[in-house]
Amino acid sequence: MHPQSPYNYPIAAIVGSTPLPPQGPLVLPGKYEVRLKAGEQVIRQALEVKVDPRVAAARHELQSSLELQLKISALLGKNFDGYQQAKEMRARLGELMKHPKEDPIAVAASALDAKVAALAGEATPILETPKTASFMAVNDTLTALMALVDGADFAPSEESFAAYRRICKGLNEALAAWQELKRKDAAALSTLLGKSNLTELPNVPDLAGDAACVN
């Protein structure tokens, strides 16, 4: 793990007992009910979440922070789905690339793998600018933004909202590029595989972008 990765344990972490952050949005102060279901039995326990007495933020500020964190979490989910699809396709392409180098299938698989690899991307240290627009770059910037918003005891700044909109737009562009790659390049390779009586590339669900990036 790079020392400047957005995935780092806090300084007070306990080995084996501290989960890797970010863990997700924190609920607002209030009364809740925790439910544990085991078979047909449901156990309920009342729970009250109280605000840290050192925090002076108004409830509407905490609400604003929660709403932005939920949006970031939703984008992380969409981005993860895209990355997983790319990862699974690369695994299949890796098998096809084992064919003799002069085999048209190996040549086509290698060319497609390079495009998929670029779109999947690589982890980017938070102090550096991503080299390409990719799923990994979106993940790292979203994770860093989540940590920033989650770590503040006040409403998110306009810069945070602007960053969210910018990253959301970048994710939409990455998803659109992925859909186009599947529709053209992957389909062309599947046709070639079919003509050679080989198993075609698996069909994967389409991934729509987020139409609410401007909000």
Side-chain angles (χ1 to χ4, degrees):
M1 182 184 299
H2 192 286
Q4 294 297 331
S5 166
Y7 295 98
N8 273 322
Y9 289 102
I11 193 171
I14 300 174
V15 177
S17 299
T18 302
L20 189 64
Q23 300 177 50
L26 298 175
V27 300
L28 294 174
K31 294 183 178 181
Y32 298 87
E33 182 181 73
V34 179
R35 299 177 185 177
L36 174 63
K37 184 175 182 180
E40 297 299 321
Q41 184 179 15
V42 179
I43 301 175
R44 294 177 169 84
Q45 176 65 53
L47 174 69
E48 182 176 5
V49 176
K50 296 182 178 180
V51 67
D52 189 322
R54 297 168 297 179
V55 175
R59 186 176 180 83
H60 73 273
E61 292 182 297
L62 298 178
Q63 179 71 44
S64 178
S65 176
L66 173 60
E67 291 174 355
L68 180 55
Q69 289 182 69
L70 289 173
K71 289 181 179 180
I72 295 172
S73 293
L75 289 190
L76 281 168
K78 285 178 176 287
N79 189 71
F80 179 78
D81 290 341
Y83 181 81
Q84 284 298 106
Q85 286 189 0
K87 181 179 178 180
E88 291 168 4
M89 181 178 288
R90 292 200 69 196
R92 172 66 173 134
L93 293 174
E95 297 174 358
L96 298 175
M97 290 163 60
K98 294 178 181 178
H99 288 225
K101 292 184 178 181
E102 65 277 5
D103 188 323
I105 290 178
V107 173
S110 180
L112 179 55
D113 182 70
K115 293 182 178 181
V116 178
L119 189 54
E122 298 179 354
T124 303
I126 59 176
L127 296 183
E128 297 180 14
T129 301
K131 296 179 177 61
T132 59
S134 65
F135 291 131
M136 187 63 77
V138 169
N139 175 82
D140 287 353
T141 50
L142 277 175
T143 302
L145 180 60
M146 174 70 89
L148 178 66
V149 177
D150 179 62
D153 294 327
F154 43 80
S157 65
E158 180 51 42
E159 287 78 6
S160 293
F161 285 107
Y164 164 78
R165 292 190 292 268
R166 183 172 62 253
I167 301 169
C168 184
K169 181 180 179 181
L171 173 58
N172 282 353
E173 293 173 353
L175 288 175
W178 177 234
Q179 294 301 115
E180 185 71 2
L181 187 150
K182 290 188 294 182
R183 188 177 68 85
K184 290 185 176 181
D185 301 74
L189 178 55
S190 285
T191 298
L192 181 59
L193 291 171
K195 291 180 179 179
S196 301
N197 295 319
L198 296 174
T199 303
E200 298 182 4
L201 296 178
N203 291 321
V204 293
D206 289 342
L207 299 174
D210 194 322
C213 285
V214 297
N215 296 331

